[in-house]
Amino acid sequence: MAYQTNKNWNTRQQSRAYVYGNLSPVREPSFEPVRREEQEPRRAPSRKTRQNRRRESRISGSYVFFLVLASVIAMVICVNFIKIHAEVTASSKNITKMQSQLSELKEMNNSKEGAIMDPINLDQVRDRAINEMGMTYAADNQIVHYANPSGDYIRQVEQIPKEGMLAYAGN
């Protein structure tokens, strides 16, 4: 009996023993898993099964043709996409360039308009028109009022029809 107690004490002592390193002691399982090969022997496939597997592993000509055709179509789509993307990029750059040219032209036009309008004195124009050219202000009977639907100025090229006038202060 003393032998068994000593044996149990020795087993407990070993299970509590510290192992130096980064892993704790790994206990071995009390059973060993049953291997599949031991459970049932593997049968060799039948001749028909081997023929079917061989036939399925081969690639048929129609499948190769389909793969080549799909590859060509994918390649054409990719090339067209890249071409269209390049055209859009070029158009975008062209639009940006034209917009900068437009802004430069507008700025130049505004500066020239300012240079033209600055030296003009409207009082001098009125004095010259009245004194040198003999122009006079319009009399009340010479003014024709008409409906202007657009709100913009109108350049008169021909006579204004009587039905479009709101009031006429004439003879």
Side-chain angles (χ1 to χ4, degrees):
M1 193 77 153
Y3 178 73
Q4 283 183 344
T5 309
N6 193 11
K7 187 178 178 187
N8 286 341
W9 181 82
N10 194 16
T11 307
R12 267 190 253 130
Q13 184 110 8
Q14 285 178 352
S15 67
R16 292 183 191 160
Y18 183 76
V19 177
Y20 291 97
N22 62 353
L23 299 174
S24 61
V26 178
R27 297 182 185 181
E28 292 190 25
S30 61
F31 65 93
E32 191 168 322
V34 180
R35 306 257 182 234
R36 184 170 236 199
E37 297 159 358
E38 294 173 5
Q39 287 178 350
E40 61 182 55
R42 195 166 186 179
R43 293 182 292 161
S46 69
R47 188 173 65 88
K48 185 84 170 170
T49 305
R50 285 192 306 266
Q51 285 177 352
N52 286 342
R53 287 181 185 167
R54 225 179 290 127
R55 189 178 319 125
E56 288 175 1
S57 67
R58 279 188 257 140
I59 298 175
S60 67
S62 60
Y63 186 66
V64 170
F65 176 74
F66 169 75
L67 288 178
V68 168
L69 183 65
S71 300
V72 168
I73 290 173
M75 188 68 73
V76 167
I77 289 172
C78 289
V79 167
N80 281 338
F81 175 75
I82 291 171
K83 181 181 174 185
I84 290 171
H85 188 269
E87 288 175 0
V88 167
T89 304
S91 296
S92 166
K93 288 180 181 177
N94 192 23
I95 288 171
T96 304
K97 184 176 126 184
M98 291 175 123
Q99 284 177 339
S100 67
Q101 287 177 350
L102 177 65
S103 66
E104 288 173 8
L105 288 174
K106 281 184 176 180
E107 184 179 329
M108 193 168 53
N109 190 21
N110 289 339
S111 66
K112 286 186 179 182
E113 182 182 9
I116 290 171
M117 295 304 262
D118 281 344
I120 296 176
N121 186 353
L122 294 179
D123 290 333
Q124 288 177 343
V125 172
R126 184 179 54 82
D127 287 341
R128 186 170 177 208
I130 292 173
N131 297 334
E132 292 179 20
M133 298 181 181
M135 298 177 93
T136 59
Y137 284 103
D140 286 340
N141 62 353
Q142 295 174 328
I143 299 174
V144 175
H145 298 278
Y146 60 94
N148 186 4
S150 65
D152 290 337
Y153 73 93
I154 293 179
R155 180 181 230 159
Q156 183 175 349
V157 178
E158 58 185 49
Q159 277 302 95
I160 298 174
K162 298 273 185 201
E163 61 269 1
M165 293 191 304
L166 298 175
Y168 179 72
N171 294 345

